[in-house]
Structures are given as C-alpha cells and as structure tokens.
Amino acid sequence: MCGIVAAAARREVSEILLEGLRRLEYRGYDSAGMALVDNEHNLQLHKQQGKVCELEKAQAMRPLLGCTGIAHTRWATHGEPSAVNAHPHISGQRLALVHNGIIENHAALREQLIAQGYEFTSATDTEVVVHLLHSFLLQGNPLLAAMQETVCLLEGAYALAVVDIEHPDEVVAARKGSPLVVGVGIGENFLASDQLALRQVTDRFIFLEEGDVVQISPSSLQIFDESGNPVERARTMISAAVEVADLGGFDHYMLKEIHEQPRALAATFAQSAALPAADDCFGAGAAAVFDRVRAVQIVACGTSFHAGMVARYWLEELAGIPCQVEVASEFRYRKRVTRPDTLLVTISQSGETADTLAALRNAGADEFIASLVISNVDNSSLVRDSDLVFLTRAGMEIGVASTKAFTTQLVGLLLLTLALGRRGAMTEQKQQEVMVALQGLPDYVQQTLELDSAIERLSGAFIPRHHALFLGRGIQYPIAMEGALKLKEISYIHAEAYPAGELKHGPLALVDDDMPVVAVAPSDDLLEKLKSNLEEVRSRGGELYVFADRQAGFVSEARVHVLPMPHCPEVIKPIVYTVALQLLSYHVALQKGTDVDKPRNLAKSVTVE
Ligand code: F6R
C-alpha cells in the first residue's frame, strides 16, 4: 500500500518520479506528493489530494526542478486523505520523507517529540519519523547514521525514503515489513516500492532485505544490514521485454484482464508440461516435499482466500488430502494445532500482502514441513521467503479487482491437487480427466466471454439495487463468494454470498422483490438441492439470476433470468463460472459510473496490516 519512488541523478528527475508514481498508482490513490532538492539546495514540494493526475497538474502549473527527489502515492491509514496528510512530510525546513507502512508506536514517539518542541502539522503516523530523523541530524549525525538511529526506535512496518538539503545528492532509505527495491542506473540510482515503477530507467534491481538501510547518490550505492554492517545484495536483471501497461483497445484494465484469461490460463497450465518432471513447476525439491505431505493448510486474503476455498474441495475430494483454509489476518494471531506433515500454502497475487507474509513468517519453526506460495509476482517478498513457488502466468494485473490472477491461481491449485493426488487417492484415469479438462479450459473461458452482451443485458436490473445475494453449493459456494466480492468492491452494491442450504437459517428473511438473487447453478451432484433452495427464494418473491448450463434444466420465466453457460467438465466449472460473474460486476459498475479500475478506498497491493 502506498507507492514510493526516489531518484538520485545528474539530470532532472521530476518526470521520472511522476512516471514511477503513475505505474505505482495501483498501490494507493487518495493523494500524492513529491519533493525535490533543487540546484540551490532548496527543498521544493508539491502535495495534492486525489490521484496522481492532480500532482501532474500541480507540476504543470509550477514545475519543480531538481536531480534528487522522492515521491509518493498514498492509501490513507492514519489521517484522512488530504493534501496536509499527503507525503512527503517535512521537518526543520530541510528534510522531506515518504513512508509506506504503519508506525505502531507513533503515539508515544509523537509525545516525546512534542516535548522536545516539534510541531506536528498532519494526523499521520509518518510525521514522527521525519522529526525523529531531524532530531538525530541536529545531534551531528550524517543522514545515513540518523536513519540508522531512527529505525531502531520504530515499531511496525515501513519502507522509508528521505532527502535532506544538507546532503543534496543523496537519498537514504530503509525497509522492514514493506517492500523496497533499488534500481541501479549508470551515473544515477533509484528506489521504489516495486520494480515496475523503474523499468523505464533501468533493468538492474536489488531487492532489499528486511532491516536494510541504503544510501544512494548518482555515483554510489551502499547497503547496510539491520546490524549496521555494509552488505552486498544480489543484483537481478529483469528482462527488457517490459510488459506494457496499456489498455489495448479496452475501456478498462479490468475488462482487458478478464479477456486475457484464455491466454493467461493456457500459459499457467503450460508450465506443467514445459519442464522435465510435472512437479518441477513448484520449484526445486518439490517432489521430495510432496512425497511427505499428509495435510495442507492454505492461508490467503480476499480473492486469493476464495481460491484457497475452492482448492479445499479439490484437495479433499480428488487427492484425499485433508485441507484447512483460513484468512491470513486471523491465522497469524491464532494459537493453532497443526497436523504432522502439513504443507503451508500461501496464495497471493502481489506476493506482498502484509497479513499473508506475516502468517508465513510467524509459522512455527517445526509447524510445517515446507511452505509453498502461489503468486503472480516473481521476486516478491512471499516468493523470496517460501521454500517452494508456483508462479501464475497471468501477466501484470492492474485493475484493483483481481480477475485473471484468481483464475490462474485456481490452475496452480489444481496442478497442486494433481501433484498430491498422484501420490495417493487419485486414479490414473482421474488424473487424465483433469489434464484434459485443463487443456480445454481456455476454450470454455472464451465461450463464456462471448456471453458478454447477454450478461450486460442482465446487469441493468442491478443498477437501482442496494443489495444482492449470491448463492452456490459445494465448490460453487466460494465462487458465489468471489462473485459477491467483485460486485461489492467495484459497484459498491452490498452483496453477500451464502451456501444455498444456509438460506433458511436466517438470510431468507432478507428476500423480497427488491433483492436480486444470483445463483451459481451448473449441473452437478448438488443441483437438485440447490433447485429446492431457489424455489424457497421464488416463493417469497425473490428475483433469480441463474448462471447454469443447459443440462441443469432451468428455463427463463417471470422473475427467473437464466444465463446459459457452456457445458464443461465438472472440475473446471468453478473457473468458468467465475468469468461470467466477473463480467456481471464489470457491467453493473460501468453502468453505475464507478471507477472500475480504482474503486474507492481500495489499493491493489495491501502491504499494511
Ligand atoms: C479483490 C482483491 C483482493 C486481493 C487481496 C489479496 O478483488 O483483489 O481481495 O485478493 O487483497 O491480495 P493478494 O492476492 O495480492 O495477496
């Protein structure tokens, strides 16, 4: 959450910083700011409420010049979104600082600093850091030493970057719990929360470790570990084949990403065939780990958690492996009893989600036999901290609402089910069926995408509604949850998902002619049970929107609208039906006029707790 870009160069850096912020805007977009040290060693500052385009306007009206600078796009935690609370924060008219994360002991530090005479202008937790740094500079420390002293006093998570007019060529930065990467240039160096922000200026990166402090200037780059010792960190070349973040003719990234799914699913599945042994797509040593696995614990957040919920059905039904699934924010703080020989599986599109990362890091030393992450971002913190890695090949996902990342996660989880099932309960024939289904998946998804106009027609009915209910049974229940999450996050319509059998235990009271009820209803073993539940809804005046294949036998009639889905193999139905629900929320949001790609209050990469 929040994006940081910084540069120490021999050329003007304002445009580099702004371009970096545009690329990082998915991390937060309620305010943005930038500070430069100009040639006369003055601090120049812009801070704006709103998206990065507001900062661009301010820069166009009053251009800031300078070769050393920091910039930030914010997702508010402490203090409302406003220009005053936007970063950079200033101390002593000489220092400017940007921060990503949460300083948990900010209240105590604030009191101490006020007692020392510091005046606070913002409601943020961040402002304590810049004043602390200033106090250490006043004691005669150089900027680097002041940062090292400061971070010793901070509790919580941070990526920090600071400029100081007394050290006009330098940026000093530090990280703990929030990502930060150095971009190595020729005669210039950069920093950012994500290497994507810097692909315009370099292809060489250093991913900083927990507790690192770094000092960059145009000609130097020094990294110190948590104990203050100088360290060398590995340099990574990231291919110049930069993924271009353009809309490719679509109106929104979300729509583009929904339509990219056939290719993304095929690329993700292809990894299993491209390597010598099927398990190799999970990383070196996977086969030996999988031989020992007797249970699986999945931990994730949001949409990725829903992927985990689907996987539980596959792992237990197909592979015969007991599986628990939990949201990371609960799992990380719970006293747990873990079965012997359990594999910890984390799922995270970004690989940076703070709760999921903490769940991995807090796992007991002997609690799990190994950790496996399913992620879309190579080199992310979860990827670097896990024993085994499955990389989804979704390509960059820019829309805040996750679409292709979710469905490719499901492919990874089905491949994991195959890997574990092969060692146990799964017959050769069943394995073959699953492989054939996965091969055909891109085609079924393509057929679903072709239902776009029909789904758009259905979506109109949701516009005036304030609530919607999503129902599913069995493995389609988590798909109903995912459908409800998509609808609420981008259209702001309150949507809840229930396993349809639970309706009569309470939620049925909500049903009236103002409550649209979406049913995920493919022909499967639970169809007849689901149909009875839907009858209960109909007889209470509820209006049904049924996503079902022809074999399920639904017919459109008064207050029942059937969306005819392709008939596909059972095992991939959760993936195929998801795509239809993604299109439903997209069209509802579009007609409601919300910001589909950047819904209010949200950010793509949730790096704070
Ligand atoms: C919803 C969505 C979020 C994320 C969640 C976890 O569309 O995108 O619910 O799934 O914040 O993010 P990752 O997968 O990056 O850990």
Side-chain angles (χ1 to χ4, degrees):
M1 245 130 183
C2 305
I4 291 175
V5 196
R10 296 196 176 98
R11 55 175 164 154
E12 291 296 329
V13 293
S14 60
E15 194 35 51
I16 297 173
L17 297 179
L18 279 172
E19 175 58 19
L21 288 189
R22 281 179 213 117
R23 291 165 181 237
L24 285 185
E25 206 174 15
Y26 69 93
R27 298 181 76 99
Y29 34 81
D30 59 44
S31 50
M34 147 167 109
L36 296 178
V37 180
D38 71 14
N39 289 346
E40 270 113 49
H41 301 178
N42 297 312
L43 205 52
Q44 305 273 354
L45 184 70
H46 275 314
K47 303 211 292 183
Q48 296 293 323
Q49 185 174 349
K51 298 194 171 131
V52 172
C53 59
E54 300 304 322
L55 187 62
E56 285 168 21
K57 285 183 205 154
Q59 174 70 4
M61 299 266 290
R62 181 172 65 85
L64 306 186
L65 299 175
C67 303
T68 309
I70 54 177
H72 189 262
T73 175
R74 179 170 186 248
W75 184 86
T77 59
H78 295 63
E80 60 178 13
S82 66
V84 169
N85 289 333
H87 301 208
H89 291 283
I90 305 295
S91 189
Q93 299 305 321
R94 62 176 280 192
L95 271 183
L97 173 124
V98 289
H99 167 221
N100 174 12
I102 292 179
I103 305 302
E104 285 168 4
N105 58 338
H106 70 99
L109 292 172
R110 184 181 267 249
E111 267 180 37
Q112 288 166 26
L113 287 158
I114 289 172
Q116 286 174 39
Y118 283 98
E119 280 179 21
F120 281 75
T121 54
S122 79
T124 64
D125 53 332
T126 302
E127 200 178 344
V128 297
V129 186
V130 73
H131 294 318
L132 260 183
L133 260 163
H134 183 259
S135 69
F136 284 117
L137 285 173
L138 288 189
Q139 291 169 23
N141 288 293
L143 187 57
L144 173 71
M147 179 64 96
Q148 286 167 321
E149 296 284 351
T150 299
V151 293
C152 289
L153 300 180
L154 303 181
E155 287 166 21
Y158 53 79
L160 302 163
V162 64
V163 290
D164 174 18
I165 56 172
E166 303 289 331
H167 299 79
D169 300 332
E170 283 176 28
V171 180
V172 169
R175 74 150 283 192
K176 194 173 200 173
S178 291
L180 200 60
V181 60
V182 180
V184 183
I186 299 169
E188 53 191 14
N189 287 302
F190 307 92
L191 288 154
S193 333
D194 187 325
Q195 45 82 19
L196 280 177
L198 301 176
R199 294 249 201 121
Q200 35 150 348
V201 282
T202 184
D203 57 3
R204 288 178 301 155
F205 297 96
I206 299 172
F207 292 88
L208 295 174
E209 303 278 330
E210 283 293 89
D212 280 356
V213 176
V214 59
Q215 179 182 42
I216 61 167
S217 75
S219 54
S220 68
L221 154 60
Q222 279 186 290
I223 303 172
F224 301 85
D225 67 12
E226 199 158 11
S227 315
N229 302 313
V231 280
E232 286 291 325
R233 300 277 182 230
R235 293 183 182 208
T236 308
M237 283 282 279
I238 297 191
S239 132
V242 180
E243 285 180 87
V244 187
D246 68 24
L247 284 165
F250 289 91
D251 289 339
H252 294 97
Y253 285 108
M254 182 182 178
L255 189 61
K256 177 179 177 235
E257 288 158 5
I258 290 173
H259 280 267
E260 281 170 350
Q261 288 177 109
R263 186 209 53 77
L265 294 164
T268 302
F269 174 54
Q271 298 181 97
S272 63
L275 295 160
D279 296 333
D280 290 354
C281 57
F282 295 95
V289 171
F290 291 166
D291 284 346
R292 293 174 49 210
V293 172
R294 297 289 168 268
V296 170
Q297 171 70 61
I298 297 179
V299 180
C301 303
T303 286
S304 297
F305 167 70
H306 296 156
M309 296 267 294
V310 174
R312 186 176 63 165
Y313 289 87
W314 285 333
L315 284 163
E316 298 208 340
E317 280 177 31
L318 300 176
I321 298 277
C323 176
Q324 304 272 342
V325 192
E326 193 163 349
V327 286
S329 53
E330 290 299 316
F331 177 87
R332 63 182 286 192
Y333 290 116
R334 195 166 63 77
K335 283 209 169 64
R336 304 176 293 260
V337 180
T338 302
R339 291 169 192 249
D341 298 326
T342 298
L343 174 69
L344 175 63
V345 176
T346 57
I347 311 171
S348 174
Q349 184 282 131
S350 61
E352 299 293 351
T353 300
D355 283 320
T356 314
L357 190 57
L360 171 67
R361 289 182 176 160
N362 298 352
D366 300 322
E367 193 179 357
F368 299 100
I369 53 172
S371 59
L372 161 69
V373 63
I374 296 185
S375 180
N376 197 34
V377 181
D378 199 2
N379 275 311
S380 57
S381 301
L382 274 157
V383 166
R384 282 182 288 128
D385 282 14
S386 298
D387 303 315
L388 302 176
V389 176
F390 180 89
L391 284 176
T392 50
R393 299 293 173 190
M396 203 195 301
E397 193 179 64
I398 294 180
V400 163
S402 189
T403 52
K404 59 179 181 170
F406 175 72
T407 50
T408 53
Q409 284 167 353
L410 290 179
V411 170
L413 289 160
L414 199 43
L415 289 172
L416 177 65
T417 306
L418 277 171
L420 297 179
R422 222 179 277 129
R423 293 165 162 84
M426 216 166 165
T427 61
E428 284 272 350
Q429 193 195 337
K430 192 74 203 168
Q431 291 170 41
Q432 199 50 35
E433 270 173 43
V434 174
M435 290 300 276
V436 170
L438 278 168
Q439 265 149 15
L441 176 61
D443 276 350
Y444 291 112
V445 168
Q446 188 57 46
Q447 289 172 41
T448 308
L449 291 173
E450 283 156 22
L451 299 172
D452 188 57
S453 312
I455 296 173
E456 185 180 1
R457 283 195 293 279
L458 273 194
S459 65
F462 289 74
I463 312 306
R465 310 302 179 102
H466 298 291
H467 308 276
L469 213 51
F470 283 66
L471 301 178
R473 291 198 76 139
I475 199 165
Q476 301 300 344
Y477 165 50
I479 299 308
M481 292 170 81
E482 176 57 11
L485 177 62
K486 276 308 79 110
L487 188 70
K488 67 185 136 194
E489 72 181 315
I490 63 167
S491 76
Y492 316 151
I493 293 175
H494 170 232
E496 290 302 330
Y498 276 93
E502 269 293 293
L503 262 194
K504 54 191 171 295
H505 299 293
L508 200 53
L510 292 172
V511 171
D512 60 14
D513 58 7
D514 202 28
M515 171 72 91
V517 177
V518 177
V520 189
S523 51
D524 63 15
D525 291 351
L526 290 169
L527 180 66
E528 291 311 317
K529 306 275 174 209
L530 177 67
K531 280 186 170 172
S532 309
N533 303 140
L534 297 184
E535 278 309 317
E536 290 157 15
V537 171
R538 268 191 84 193
S539 51
R540 280 152 186 92
E543 186 141 13
L544 291 173
Y545 297 83
V546 184
F547 289 71
D549 49 25
R550 206 148 30 87
Q551 289 66 8
F554 287 94
V555 186
S556 286
E557 52 187 303
R559 303 186 72 75
V560 180
H561 313 271
V562 181
L563 195 283
M565 292 290 292
H567 182 53
C568 61
E570 182 102 17
V571 70
I572 55 167
K573 280 178 180 163
I575 306 178
V576 174
Y577 278 66
T578 296
V579 175
L581 297 182
Q582 293 168 349
L583 286 171
L584 177 69
S585 10
Y586 173 76
H587 284 298
V588 175
L590 192 67
Q591 290 174 69
K592 286 200 72 179
T594 58
D595 188 340
V596 173
D597 285 333
K598 296 195 187 88
R600 68 185 181 202
N601 305 341
L602 300 180
K604 183 85 187 147
S605 182
V606 186
T607 54
V608 295
E609 190 173 345

